Amino acid sequence: MKSRTLLLIAGGTLAALTIAVGIAFATDSAGVTATAHVVGATLPDRVKVNADRIKFKTKNPVDISVVTLTIAPGGTTGWHSHPGFAVIAVSQGAGTLYSADCSAETFHAGQAFVETGDDPPTVFRNNGAEPVVLTVSFFAPRGAGFHRDAPNPGCAVS
């Protein structure tokens, strides 16, 4: 019984340490202002749409939020990922999306991109002199939240 108790204590300590280390190495956002337009609206169970060569299907309830992010010059979202997926449209300025493999792609006003929960973490930065404005539509499993902080995967960008 004593060895089992020690094993449980050791396992609990290891789990707590793993969580603490993950939090310690997460990267913070900076220079980002968020304006929420829709927060946590819920689609009912089993939505299936197939129109004009666009498919959208859910099996369970989905939370939806729409947010405008204004990123100041030099601002960053911090490394992160999203449960479900996010559709991001650039409405003003230009910013750079860095992927976990350290590759970069710049998006300008009028362009859009998608991030999914299956993608490795990303960071979006405003490397320019003017603010970047993004409109983000989040689609996530009910109750999962919309944003997950992540540690820098080893890239020179934060």
Side-chain angles (χ1 to χ4, degrees):
M1 186 72 169
K2 287 182 182 180
S3 63
R4 183 169 189 247
T5 302
L6 286 174
L7 184 61
L8 289 173
I9 291 171
T13 302
L14 181 60
L17 182 59
T18 300
I19 291 167
V21 167
I23 291 169
F25 290 109
T27 59
D28 293 327
S29 64
V32 178
T33 303
T35 303
H37 304 289
V38 176
V39 180
T42 301
L43 280 173
D45 207 2
R46 298 197 184 262
V47 172
K48 185 176 181 181
V49 177
N50 186 354
D52 297 324
R53 299 175 48 106
I54 299 170
K55 291 182 181 183
F56 182 80
K57 180 179 176 181
T58 67
K59 294 181 180 181
N60 295 305
V62 173
D63 288 337
I64 299 172
S65 285
V66 179
V67 177
T68 296
L69 300 178
T70 302
I71 306 173
T76 176
T77 61
W79 286 93
H80 68 281
S81 65
H82 302 286
F85 66 95
V87 178
I88 302 102
V90 182
S91 56
Q92 178 183 320
T96 305
L97 180 70
Y98 296 89
S99 298
D101 65 1
C102 304
S103 62
E105 185 171 0
T106 299
F107 292 93
H108 301 270
Q111 294 183 302
F113 57 98
V114 175
E115 295 180 354
T116 76
D118 295 334
D119 295 338
T122 59
V123 64
F124 190 88
R125 287 190 57 86
N126 178 355
N127 295 321
E130 301 295 325
V132 174
V133 178
L134 307 175
T135 300
V136 185
S137 299
F138 297 99
F139 299 81
R142 180 82 175 129
F146 298 104
H147 179 92
R148 295 184 205 132
D149 288 328
N152 185 322
C155 299
V157 157
S158 60

